[in-house]
Short mmCIF file of all heavy atoms in Angstrom, two decimals:
data_model
loop_
_atom_site.label_atom_id
_atom_site.label_comp_id
_atom_site.label_asym_id
_atom_site.label_seq_id
_atom_site.Cartn_x
_atom_site.Cartn_y
_atom_site.Cartn_z
N MET A 1 -10.63 -6.63 25.18
CA MET A 1 -9.34 -5.99 24.97
C MET A 1 -8.29 -7.08 24.72
O MET A 1 -8.19 -8.03 25.47
CB MET A 1 -8.98 -5.15 26.19
CG MET A 1 -7.57 -4.60 26.15
SD MET A 1 -7.14 -3.44 27.48
CE MET A 1 -7.23 -4.47 28.92
N ASP A 2 -7.54 -6.92 23.67
CA ASP A 2 -6.46 -7.83 23.32
C ASP A 2 -5.23 -7.46 24.15
O ASP A 2 -4.63 -6.41 23.94
CB ASP A 2 -6.18 -7.73 21.83
CG ASP A 2 -5.06 -8.63 21.37
OD1 ASP A 2 -4.49 -9.36 22.21
OD2 ASP A 2 -4.75 -8.61 20.18
N ASN A 3 -4.88 -8.31 25.10
CA ASN A 3 -3.79 -8.02 26.03
C ASN A 3 -2.46 -7.82 25.31
O ASN A 3 -1.67 -6.96 25.68
CB ASN A 3 -3.68 -9.14 27.07
CG ASN A 3 -2.88 -8.71 28.28
OD1 ASN A 3 -2.91 -7.55 28.67
ND2 ASN A 3 -2.18 -9.65 28.87
N LYS A 4 -2.21 -8.61 24.26
CA LYS A 4 -0.95 -8.49 23.52
C LYS A 4 -0.87 -7.12 22.83
O LYS A 4 0.17 -6.46 22.88
CB LYS A 4 -0.86 -9.61 22.48
CG LYS A 4 0.44 -9.60 21.71
CD LYS A 4 0.50 -10.76 20.73
CE LYS A 4 1.77 -10.68 19.92
NZ LYS A 4 1.82 -11.66 18.86
N MET A 5 -1.96 -6.69 22.20
CA MET A 5 -1.97 -5.40 21.53
C MET A 5 -1.86 -4.27 22.54
O MET A 5 -1.17 -3.27 22.29
CB MET A 5 -3.23 -5.24 20.68
CG MET A 5 -3.27 -3.92 19.91
SD MET A 5 -1.81 -3.58 18.90
CE MET A 5 -2.12 -4.59 17.50
N PHE A 6 -2.52 -4.40 23.68
CA PHE A 6 -2.43 -3.39 24.74
C PHE A 6 -0.98 -3.21 25.17
O PHE A 6 -0.49 -2.09 25.28
CB PHE A 6 -3.32 -3.79 25.91
CG PHE A 6 -3.27 -2.84 27.07
CD1 PHE A 6 -3.86 -1.59 26.99
CD2 PHE A 6 -2.63 -3.19 28.25
CE1 PHE A 6 -3.82 -0.70 28.05
CE2 PHE A 6 -2.58 -2.31 29.32
CZ PHE A 6 -3.18 -1.07 29.22
N LYS A 7 -0.28 -4.32 25.39
CA LYS A 7 1.12 -4.26 25.81
C LYS A 7 1.99 -3.63 24.73
O LYS A 7 2.90 -2.86 25.03
CB LYS A 7 1.64 -5.66 26.15
CG LYS A 7 1.12 -6.19 27.46
CD LYS A 7 1.67 -7.56 27.76
CE LYS A 7 1.11 -8.09 29.07
NZ LYS A 7 1.64 -9.41 29.39
N GLU A 8 1.70 -3.93 23.46
CA GLU A 8 2.46 -3.36 22.35
C GLU A 8 2.25 -1.83 22.29
O GLU A 8 3.20 -1.08 22.10
CB GLU A 8 2.02 -4.00 21.03
CG GLU A 8 2.83 -3.56 19.84
CD GLU A 8 4.27 -4.05 19.85
OE1 GLU A 8 4.58 -5.04 20.54
OE2 GLU A 8 5.09 -3.43 19.16
N LYS A 9 1.02 -1.39 22.49
CA LYS A 9 0.73 0.04 22.48
C LYS A 9 1.42 0.75 23.64
O LYS A 9 1.98 1.84 23.46
CB LYS A 9 -0.78 0.28 22.53
CG LYS A 9 -1.47 -0.07 21.22
CD LYS A 9 -2.97 0.12 21.33
CE LYS A 9 -3.66 -0.23 20.03
NZ LYS A 9 -5.12 -0.05 20.10
N LEU A 10 1.43 0.13 24.81
CA LEU A 10 2.12 0.72 25.96
C LEU A 10 3.63 0.78 25.72
O LEU A 10 4.29 1.74 26.10
CB LEU A 10 1.81 -0.05 27.23
CG LEU A 10 0.44 0.18 27.84
CD1 LEU A 10 0.28 -0.63 29.12
CD2 LEU A 10 0.18 1.65 28.11
N LYS A 11 4.17 -0.25 25.07
CA LYS A 11 5.59 -0.28 24.75
C LYS A 11 5.95 0.88 23.82
O LYS A 11 6.95 1.58 24.03
CB LYS A 11 5.95 -1.62 24.11
CG LYS A 11 7.42 -1.76 23.75
CD LYS A 11 7.70 -3.12 23.17
CE LYS A 11 7.89 -2.96 21.68
NZ LYS A 11 8.23 -4.18 20.98
N VAL A 12 5.12 1.12 22.81
CA VAL A 12 5.36 2.23 21.89
C VAL A 12 5.22 3.56 22.61
O VAL A 12 6.03 4.47 22.42
CB VAL A 12 4.41 2.15 20.67
CG1 VAL A 12 4.53 3.40 19.81
CG2 VAL A 12 4.70 0.90 19.85
N PHE A 13 4.22 3.66 23.48
CA PHE A 13 4.02 4.88 24.26
C PHE A 13 5.26 5.17 25.10
O PHE A 13 5.76 6.29 25.14
CB PHE A 13 2.77 4.72 25.14
CG PHE A 13 2.32 5.98 25.78
CD1 PHE A 13 1.82 7.03 25.04
CD2 PHE A 13 2.39 6.14 27.16
CE1 PHE A 13 1.39 8.20 25.64
CE2 PHE A 13 1.98 7.30 27.77
CZ PHE A 13 1.47 8.33 27.01
N GLU A 14 5.80 4.13 25.72
CA GLU A 14 7.02 4.27 26.52
C GLU A 14 8.20 4.69 25.64
O GLU A 14 9.00 5.55 26.03
CB GLU A 14 7.32 2.97 27.24
CG GLU A 14 8.51 3.04 28.17
CD GLU A 14 8.74 1.74 28.91
OE1 GLU A 14 8.49 0.65 28.34
OE2 GLU A 14 9.19 1.81 30.06
N LYS A 15 8.32 4.12 24.46
CA LYS A 15 9.41 4.48 23.54
C LYS A 15 9.30 5.95 23.13
O LYS A 15 10.31 6.64 23.01
CB LYS A 15 9.39 3.58 22.30
CG LYS A 15 9.90 2.18 22.57
CD LYS A 15 9.74 1.29 21.35
CE LYS A 15 11.03 1.16 20.61
NZ LYS A 15 10.97 0.13 19.54
N LEU A 16 8.07 6.43 22.93
CA LEU A 16 7.88 7.84 22.62
C LEU A 16 8.36 8.71 23.78
O LEU A 16 9.04 9.72 23.57
CB LEU A 16 6.40 8.15 22.32
CG LEU A 16 5.87 7.67 20.98
CD1 LEU A 16 4.36 7.88 20.91
CD2 LEU A 16 6.56 8.38 19.83
N LEU A 17 8.00 8.32 24.99
CA LEU A 17 8.42 9.08 26.18
C LEU A 17 9.94 9.16 26.26
O LEU A 17 10.50 10.24 26.49
CB LEU A 17 7.85 8.45 27.45
CG LEU A 17 6.33 8.45 27.61
CD1 LEU A 17 5.94 7.71 28.88
CD2 LEU A 17 5.78 9.85 27.61
N TYR A 18 10.61 8.03 26.07
CA TYR A 18 12.07 8.00 26.15
C TYR A 18 12.74 8.69 24.97
O TYR A 18 13.92 9.02 25.04
CB TYR A 18 12.58 6.57 26.32
CG TYR A 18 12.33 6.01 27.69
CD1 TYR A 18 11.52 4.90 27.88
CD2 TYR A 18 12.88 6.61 28.82
CE1 TYR A 18 11.27 4.40 29.15
CE2 TYR A 18 12.65 6.11 30.09
CZ TYR A 18 11.84 5.01 30.24
OH TYR A 18 11.60 4.51 31.50
N SER A 19 11.98 8.92 23.89
CA SER A 19 12.51 9.64 22.73
C SER A 19 12.30 11.14 22.85
O SER A 19 12.58 11.89 21.93
CB SER A 19 11.83 9.12 21.46
OG SER A 19 12.17 7.78 21.23
N GLY A 20 11.77 11.57 24.00
CA GLY A 20 11.60 13.01 24.24
C GLY A 20 10.18 13.51 24.03
O GLY A 20 9.90 14.68 24.27
N TYR A 21 9.29 12.65 23.59
CA TYR A 21 7.89 13.04 23.40
C TYR A 21 7.13 12.70 24.69
O TYR A 21 6.39 11.73 24.76
CB TYR A 21 7.30 12.32 22.18
CG TYR A 21 7.99 12.72 20.91
CD1 TYR A 21 9.01 11.94 20.37
CD2 TYR A 21 7.66 13.90 20.27
CE1 TYR A 21 9.66 12.32 19.21
CE2 TYR A 21 8.31 14.29 19.11
CZ TYR A 21 9.30 13.49 18.59
OH TYR A 21 9.95 13.87 17.45
N ASN A 22 7.36 13.53 25.71
CA ASN A 22 6.87 13.22 27.06
C ASN A 22 5.74 14.12 27.53
O ASN A 22 5.44 14.14 28.72
CB ASN A 22 8.04 13.23 28.05
CG ASN A 22 8.82 14.53 27.99
OD1 ASN A 22 8.43 15.47 27.31
ND2 ASN A 22 9.92 14.58 28.70
N THR A 23 5.13 14.85 26.63
CA THR A 23 3.94 15.64 26.97
C THR A 23 2.92 15.50 25.84
O THR A 23 3.28 15.14 24.70
CB THR A 23 4.26 17.14 27.15
OG1 THR A 23 4.66 17.69 25.89
CG2 THR A 23 5.34 17.38 28.20
N ASP A 24 1.67 15.78 26.16
CA ASP A 24 0.63 15.75 25.12
C ASP A 24 1.01 16.67 23.98
O ASP A 24 0.91 16.30 22.81
CB ASP A 24 -0.72 16.19 25.69
CG ASP A 24 -1.32 15.20 26.67
OD1 ASP A 24 -0.76 14.10 26.85
OD2 ASP A 24 -2.36 15.53 27.25
N LYS A 25 1.46 17.87 24.31
CA LYS A 25 1.78 18.87 23.28
C LYS A 25 2.90 18.38 22.36
O LYS A 25 2.81 18.52 21.15
CB LYS A 25 2.17 20.20 23.92
CG LYS A 25 2.51 21.27 22.90
CD LYS A 25 2.68 22.63 23.53
CE LYS A 25 3.10 23.71 22.59
NZ LYS A 25 2.91 23.57 21.20
N LYS A 26 3.93 17.78 22.94
CA LYS A 26 5.05 17.30 22.11
C LYS A 26 4.59 16.19 21.16
O LYS A 26 5.00 16.15 20.00
CB LYS A 26 6.19 16.80 22.99
CG LYS A 26 6.97 17.91 23.65
CD LYS A 26 8.09 17.36 24.50
CE LYS A 26 8.86 18.47 25.18
NZ LYS A 26 9.94 17.95 26.03
N ILE A 27 3.73 15.31 21.64
CA ILE A 27 3.22 14.24 20.78
C ILE A 27 2.31 14.82 19.70
O ILE A 27 2.40 14.46 18.53
CB ILE A 27 2.51 13.15 21.59
CG1 ILE A 27 3.53 12.40 22.46
CG2 ILE A 27 1.77 12.17 20.67
CD1 ILE A 27 2.93 11.40 23.42
N LEU A 28 1.44 15.75 20.09
CA LEU A 28 0.54 16.35 19.11
C LEU A 28 1.28 17.17 18.06
O LEU A 28 0.86 17.23 16.90
CB LEU A 28 -0.50 17.23 19.82
CG LEU A 28 -1.54 16.48 20.63
CD1 LEU A 28 -2.37 17.44 21.47
CD2 LEU A 28 -2.42 15.64 19.73
N ASP A 29 2.40 17.78 18.44
CA ASP A 29 3.19 18.58 17.50
C ASP A 29 4.14 17.73 16.65
O ASP A 29 4.76 18.23 15.72
CB ASP A 29 4.00 19.64 18.25
CG ASP A 29 3.14 20.73 18.84
OD1 ASP A 29 1.97 20.87 18.43
OD2 ASP A 29 3.64 21.46 19.72
N MET A 30 4.24 16.45 16.96
CA MET A 30 5.13 15.54 16.27
C MET A 30 4.70 15.40 14.80
O MET A 30 3.54 15.17 14.50
CB MET A 30 5.07 14.17 16.98
CG MET A 30 5.99 13.13 16.51
SD MET A 30 5.98 11.66 17.60
CE MET A 30 4.26 11.26 17.73
N LYS A 31 5.64 15.56 13.90
CA LYS A 31 5.39 15.45 12.47
C LYS A 31 5.65 14.02 12.01
O LYS A 31 6.45 13.29 12.61
CB LYS A 31 6.30 16.39 11.69
CG LYS A 31 6.27 17.83 12.15
CD LYS A 31 5.22 18.60 11.41
CE LYS A 31 5.25 20.08 11.71
NZ LYS A 31 4.52 20.49 12.85
N ILE A 32 4.98 13.62 10.94
CA ILE A 32 5.18 12.28 10.39
C ILE A 32 6.66 12.03 10.09
O ILE A 32 7.17 10.95 10.36
CB ILE A 32 4.34 12.11 9.10
CG1 ILE A 32 2.87 11.89 9.45
CG2 ILE A 32 4.84 10.97 8.25
CD1 ILE A 32 2.57 10.57 10.11
N GLU A 33 7.33 13.05 9.57
CA GLU A 33 8.75 12.90 9.25
C GLU A 33 9.57 12.58 10.50
O GLU A 33 10.53 11.82 10.45
CB GLU A 33 9.30 14.18 8.60
CG GLU A 33 8.69 14.51 7.27
CD GLU A 33 7.35 15.25 7.38
OE1 GLU A 33 6.93 15.63 8.48
OE2 GLU A 33 6.74 15.45 6.32
N GLU A 34 9.19 13.17 11.63
CA GLU A 34 9.89 12.91 12.89
C GLU A 34 9.62 11.49 13.37
O GLU A 34 10.52 10.81 13.88
CB GLU A 34 9.45 13.91 13.96
CG GLU A 34 9.83 15.33 13.68
CD GLU A 34 9.20 16.31 14.64
OE1 GLU A 34 8.12 16.04 15.20
OE2 GLU A 34 9.80 17.38 14.82
N ILE A 35 8.39 11.04 13.20
CA ILE A 35 8.02 9.69 13.63
C ILE A 35 8.83 8.67 12.85
O ILE A 35 9.37 7.71 13.40
CB ILE A 35 6.51 9.45 13.46
CG1 ILE A 35 5.71 10.39 14.38
CG2 ILE A 35 6.15 8.01 13.75
CD1 ILE A 35 4.22 10.36 14.13
N ILE A 36 8.94 8.87 11.54
CA ILE A 36 9.67 7.93 10.68
C ILE A 36 11.14 7.86 11.07
O ILE A 36 11.76 6.79 10.98
CB ILE A 36 9.52 8.34 9.20
CG1 ILE A 36 8.07 8.13 8.77
CG2 ILE A 36 10.47 7.57 8.30
CD1 ILE A 36 7.74 8.69 7.41
N LEU A 37 11.70 8.97 11.53
CA LEU A 37 13.12 9.01 11.87
C LEU A 37 13.44 8.50 13.27
O LEU A 37 14.61 8.41 13.65
CB LEU A 37 13.65 10.44 11.71
CG LEU A 37 13.65 10.98 10.28
CD1 LEU A 37 14.07 12.44 10.26
CD2 LEU A 37 14.55 10.14 9.38
N LEU A 38 12.42 8.16 14.06
CA LEU A 38 12.67 7.66 15.41
C LEU A 38 13.46 6.36 15.34
O LEU A 38 13.13 5.46 14.55
CB LEU A 38 11.36 7.44 16.16
CG LEU A 38 10.58 8.69 16.55
CD1 LEU A 38 9.21 8.32 17.10
CD2 LEU A 38 11.36 9.51 17.56
N PRO A 39 14.52 6.24 16.15
CA PRO A 39 15.33 5.03 16.10
C PRO A 39 14.61 3.83 16.72
O PRO A 39 13.84 3.98 17.67
CB PRO A 39 16.58 5.40 16.92
CG PRO A 39 16.10 6.47 17.85
CD PRO A 39 15.02 7.21 17.10
N ASN A 40 14.88 2.67 16.17
CA ASN A 40 14.38 1.40 16.73
C ASN A 40 12.86 1.28 16.76
O ASN A 40 12.30 0.67 17.66
CB ASN A 40 14.96 1.17 18.13
CG ASN A 40 16.47 1.17 18.13
OD1 ASN A 40 17.09 0.61 17.24
ND2 ASN A 40 17.06 1.81 19.12
N PHE A 41 12.18 1.87 15.79
CA PHE A 41 10.74 1.72 15.66
C PHE A 41 10.45 0.88 14.42
O PHE A 41 10.88 1.23 13.33
CB PHE A 41 10.05 3.09 15.51
CG PHE A 41 9.72 3.76 16.81
CD1 PHE A 41 10.71 4.32 17.60
CD2 PHE A 41 8.41 3.87 17.25
CE1 PHE A 41 10.42 4.96 18.79
CE2 PHE A 41 8.11 4.50 18.43
CZ PHE A 41 9.11 5.05 19.20
N SER A 42 9.72 -0.20 14.59
CA SER A 42 9.31 -1.02 13.45
C SER A 42 8.13 -0.33 12.76
O SER A 42 7.55 0.63 13.27
CB SER A 42 8.89 -2.41 13.91
OG SER A 42 7.68 -2.33 14.66
N ARG A 43 7.76 -0.83 11.61
CA ARG A 43 6.64 -0.25 10.87
C ARG A 43 5.35 -0.31 11.70
O ARG A 43 4.60 0.65 11.75
CB ARG A 43 6.45 -0.95 9.53
CG ARG A 43 5.34 -0.35 8.70
CD ARG A 43 5.32 -0.94 7.31
NE ARG A 43 4.18 -0.51 6.57
CZ ARG A 43 4.12 0.61 5.85
NH1 ARG A 43 5.15 1.41 5.81
NH2 ARG A 43 3.03 0.92 5.19
N SER A 44 5.09 -1.42 12.34
CA SER A 44 3.88 -1.55 13.15
C SER A 44 3.92 -0.59 14.34
O SER A 44 2.89 -0.03 14.73
CB SER A 44 3.66 -2.98 13.62
OG SER A 44 4.69 -3.39 14.49
N GLU A 45 5.11 -0.37 14.90
CA GLU A 45 5.23 0.58 16.01
C GLU A 45 5.01 2.01 15.52
O GLU A 45 4.43 2.82 16.24
CB GLU A 45 6.59 0.44 16.67
CG GLU A 45 6.74 -0.85 17.46
CD GLU A 45 8.14 -1.05 18.00
OE1 GLU A 45 9.12 -0.57 17.39
OE2 GLU A 45 8.25 -1.71 19.05
N LEU A 46 5.45 2.31 14.30
CA LEU A 46 5.19 3.64 13.74
C LEU A 46 3.69 3.86 13.57
O LEU A 46 3.18 4.94 13.86
CB LEU A 46 5.92 3.80 12.41
CG LEU A 46 7.44 3.83 12.48
CD1 LEU A 46 8.04 3.81 11.08
CD2 LEU A 46 7.94 5.02 13.26
N ASN A 47 2.98 2.83 13.13
CA ASN A 47 1.52 2.93 13.00
C ASN A 47 0.87 3.19 14.35
O ASN A 47 -0.07 3.98 14.46
CB ASN A 47 0.94 1.67 12.37
CG ASN A 47 1.25 1.56 10.90
OD1 ASN A 47 1.46 2.55 10.22
ND2 ASN A 47 1.28 0.34 10.41
N ILE A 48 1.36 2.53 15.38
CA ILE A 48 0.82 2.74 16.72
C ILE A 48 1.13 4.15 17.20
O ILE A 48 0.27 4.81 17.80
CB ILE A 48 1.37 1.68 17.71
CG1 ILE A 48 0.82 0.30 17.34
CG2 ILE A 48 1.02 2.03 19.15
CD1 ILE A 48 1.45 -0.85 18.10
N ALA A 49 2.34 4.65 16.92
CA ALA A 49 2.70 6.02 17.31
C ALA A 49 1.75 7.03 16.65
O ALA A 49 1.31 7.98 17.30
CB ALA A 49 4.15 6.32 16.93
N VAL A 50 1.42 6.81 15.40
CA VAL A 50 0.46 7.69 14.72
C VAL A 50 -0.91 7.57 15.38
O VAL A 50 -1.60 8.57 15.60
CB VAL A 50 0.38 7.36 13.21
CG1 VAL A 50 -0.78 8.07 12.54
CG2 VAL A 50 1.69 7.71 12.52
N GLY A 51 -1.31 6.35 15.73
CA GLY A 51 -2.58 6.14 16.42
C GLY A 51 -2.62 6.85 17.77
O GLY A 51 -3.65 7.42 18.15
N ILE A 52 -1.52 6.83 18.49
CA ILE A 52 -1.44 7.54 19.78
C ILE A 52 -1.61 9.03 19.56
O ILE A 52 -2.37 9.70 20.27
CB ILE A 52 -0.11 7.22 20.50
CG1 ILE A 52 -0.12 5.76 20.99
CG2 ILE A 52 0.14 8.18 21.66
CD1 ILE A 52 1.21 5.26 21.51
N LYS A 53 -0.94 9.55 18.56
CA LYS A 53 -1.06 10.98 18.25
C LYS A 53 -2.50 11.34 17.89
O LYS A 53 -3.05 12.31 18.41
CB LYS A 53 -0.12 11.36 17.11
CG LYS A 53 -0.23 12.80 16.69
CD LYS A 53 0.67 13.15 15.54
CE LYS A 53 0.43 14.59 15.14
NZ LYS A 53 1.33 15.06 14.13
N GLN A 54 -3.12 10.55 17.03
CA GLN A 54 -4.49 10.82 16.62
C GLN A 54 -5.47 10.71 17.79
O GLN A 54 -6.41 11.50 17.90
CB GLN A 54 -4.90 9.87 15.49
CG GLN A 54 -4.18 10.15 14.19
CD GLN A 54 -4.44 9.09 13.14
OE1 GLN A 54 -4.79 7.95 13.45
NE2 GLN A 54 -4.22 9.46 11.88
N SER A 55 -5.25 9.73 18.66
CA SER A 55 -6.16 9.56 19.80
C SER A 55 -6.00 10.69 20.82
O SER A 55 -6.98 11.11 21.44
CB SER A 55 -5.95 8.20 20.46
OG SER A 55 -4.67 8.10 21.05
N LEU A 56 -4.78 11.20 20.98
CA LEU A 56 -4.60 12.37 21.85
C LEU A 56 -5.34 13.57 21.27
O LEU A 56 -5.98 14.32 22.00
CB LEU A 56 -3.11 12.71 21.99
CG LEU A 56 -2.34 12.01 23.08
CD1 LEU A 56 -0.87 12.37 22.99
CD2 LEU A 56 -2.88 12.35 24.45
N ASN A 57 -5.24 13.72 19.95
CA ASN A 57 -5.89 14.84 19.29
C ASN A 57 -7.42 14.78 19.46
O ASN A 57 -8.06 15.81 19.64
CB ASN A 57 -5.54 14.86 17.80
CG ASN A 57 -5.97 16.12 17.13
OD1 ASN A 57 -5.81 17.21 17.67
ND2 ASN A 57 -6.52 16.00 15.94
N SER A 58 -7.97 13.58 19.45
CA SER A 58 -9.42 13.43 19.61
C SER A 58 -9.84 13.17 21.05
O SER A 58 -11.00 12.84 21.31
CB SER A 58 -9.93 12.31 18.71
OG SER A 58 -9.38 11.07 19.11
N LYS A 59 -8.88 13.31 21.97
CA LYS A 59 -9.14 13.13 23.40
C LYS A 59 -9.71 11.74 23.72
O LYS A 59 -10.64 11.60 24.50
CB LYS A 59 -10.06 14.23 23.93
CG LYS A 59 -9.47 15.62 23.80
CD LYS A 59 -10.41 16.67 24.33
CE LYS A 59 -9.93 18.07 24.27
NZ LYS A 59 -8.85 18.49 23.51
N SER A 60 -9.11 10.73 23.11
CA SER A 60 -9.58 9.37 23.32
C SER A 60 -8.41 8.38 23.49
O SER A 60 -8.48 7.25 23.02
CB SER A 60 -10.48 8.93 22.16
OG SER A 60 -9.75 8.97 20.94
N LEU A 61 -7.37 8.81 24.18
CA LEU A 61 -6.18 7.98 24.34
C LEU A 61 -6.49 6.67 25.07
O LEU A 61 -6.09 5.60 24.62
CB LEU A 61 -5.06 8.73 25.07
CG LEU A 61 -3.77 7.94 25.29
CD1 LEU A 61 -3.17 7.49 23.97
CD2 LEU A 61 -2.79 8.74 26.09
N VAL A 62 -7.21 6.75 26.17
CA VAL A 62 -7.52 5.54 26.93
C VAL A 62 -8.34 4.57 26.09
O VAL A 62 -8.07 3.37 26.06
CB VAL A 62 -8.23 5.88 28.26
CG1 VAL A 62 -8.71 4.62 28.96
CG2 VAL A 62 -7.31 6.68 29.17
N SER A 63 -9.31 5.09 25.36
CA SER A 63 -10.11 4.24 24.47
C SER A 63 -9.25 3.59 23.40
O SER A 63 -9.45 2.42 23.06
CB SER A 63 -11.22 5.06 23.81
OG SER A 63 -12.12 5.55 24.78
N TYR A 64 -8.29 4.33 22.87
CA TYR A 64 -7.38 3.77 21.86
C TYR A 64 -6.52 2.66 22.47
O TYR A 64 -6.41 1.58 21.89
CB TYR A 64 -6.48 4.87 21.26
CG TYR A 64 -5.43 4.32 20.35
CD1 TYR A 64 -5.75 3.87 19.08
CD2 TYR A 64 -4.10 4.24 20.75
CE1 TYR A 64 -4.78 3.34 18.23
CE2 TYR A 64 -3.12 3.72 19.91
CZ TYR A 64 -3.47 3.28 18.65
OH TYR A 64 -2.52 2.76 17.82
N LEU A 65 -5.93 2.93 23.61
CA LEU A 65 -5.06 1.94 24.24
C LEU A 65 -5.81 0.67 24.61
O LEU A 65 -5.32 -0.43 24.46
CB LEU A 65 -4.38 2.53 25.47
CG LEU A 65 -3.36 3.64 25.23
CD1 LEU A 65 -2.88 4.20 26.55
CD2 LEU A 65 -2.19 3.17 24.39
N CYS A 66 -7.05 0.84 25.08
CA CYS A 66 -7.83 -0.31 25.55
C CYS A 66 -8.74 -0.89 24.48
O CYS A 66 -9.45 -1.87 24.72
CB CYS A 66 -8.67 0.09 26.76
SG CYS A 66 -7.69 0.60 28.16
N GLU A 67 -8.76 -0.24 23.31
CA GLU A 67 -9.61 -0.66 22.19
C GLU A 67 -11.08 -0.74 22.59
O GLU A 67 -11.77 -1.71 22.33
CB GLU A 67 -9.13 -2.00 21.63
CG GLU A 67 -7.74 -1.93 21.05
CD GLU A 67 -7.24 -3.21 20.46
OE1 GLU A 67 -7.83 -4.29 20.74
OE2 GLU A 67 -6.27 -3.16 19.71
N THR A 68 -11.54 0.33 23.24
CA THR A 68 -12.95 0.43 23.62
C THR A 68 -13.57 1.59 22.89
O THR A 68 -12.89 2.46 22.37
CB THR A 68 -13.11 0.64 25.13
OG1 THR A 68 -12.43 1.84 25.51
CG2 THR A 68 -12.57 -0.53 25.93
N ASP A 69 -14.88 1.62 22.88
CA ASP A 69 -15.61 2.72 22.24
C ASP A 69 -15.53 3.93 23.13
O ASP A 69 -15.88 3.90 24.31
CB ASP A 69 -17.07 2.31 22.04
CG ASP A 69 -17.87 3.34 21.28
OD1 ASP A 69 -17.31 4.37 20.86
OD2 ASP A 69 -19.08 3.11 21.08
N SER A 70 -15.04 5.05 22.61
CA SER A 70 -14.84 6.26 23.40
C SER A 70 -16.15 6.91 23.84
O SER A 70 -16.16 7.81 24.66
CB SER A 70 -14.01 7.28 22.63
OG SER A 70 -14.68 7.67 21.44
N LYS A 71 -17.27 6.44 23.32
CA LYS A 71 -18.57 7.03 23.69
C LYS A 71 -19.13 6.43 24.96
O LYS A 71 -20.10 6.91 25.50
CB LYS A 71 -19.55 6.85 22.54
CG LYS A 71 -19.14 7.62 21.31
CD LYS A 71 -20.09 7.37 20.16
CE LYS A 71 -19.60 8.16 18.96
NZ LYS A 71 -19.44 7.35 17.78
N ASN A 72 -18.50 5.34 25.44
CA ASN A 72 -19.01 4.69 26.67
C ASN A 72 -18.44 5.34 27.89
O ASN A 72 -17.40 5.77 28.01
CB ASN A 72 -18.64 3.20 26.67
CG ASN A 72 -19.42 2.45 25.62
OD1 ASN A 72 -20.49 2.87 25.21
ND2 ASN A 72 -18.86 1.36 25.17
#
């Protein structure tokens, strides 16, 4: 696990929470247009936000955050 990337993903996750996306449902219902309009998100952070949404949808958030294989 890349510690720097893990911290970056947690930082984005925290930014989503403070932006009002504080439940699984709210993140899953989040539209790309809404993600792009989030204040103070860099392009790489937007990519991570999309990754968080996709991993929640596939029930593999922990695997995404830790960069592990979800089958283990």
Side-chain angles (χ1 to χ4, degrees):
M1 172 174 65
D2 179 1
N3 197 33
K4 182 178 177 187
M5 182 53 79
F6 178 72
K7 286 181 181 181
E8 185 68 21
K9 288 178 180 180
L10 285 181
K11 181 178 105 177
V12 172
F13 191 67
E14 184 178 34
K15 285 175 101 171
L16 286 172
L17 295 177
Y18 287 118
S19 295
Y21 297 97
N22 54 7
T23 66
D24 291 354
K25 180 171 176 20
K26 286 180 181 179
I27 292 174
L28 290 171
D29 290 344
M30 185 171 51
K31 307 270 187 274
I32 284 291
E33 296 83 6
E34 294 171 333
I35 295 172
I36 292 170
L37 294 175
L38 290 172
N40 303 319
F41 274 72
S42 68
R43 182 172 173 87
S44 65
E45 289 174 331
L46 293 173
N47 288 334
I48 292 171
V50 170
I52 290 170
K53 177 181 176 174
Q54 291 172 337
S55 65
L56 273 175
N57 191 43
S58 64
K59 298 180 180 15
S60 61
L61 180 60
V62 173
S63 296
Y64 173 74
L65 293 175
C66 297
E67 297 181 344
T68 59
D69 185 2
S70 62
K71 294 177 181 127
N72 291 335

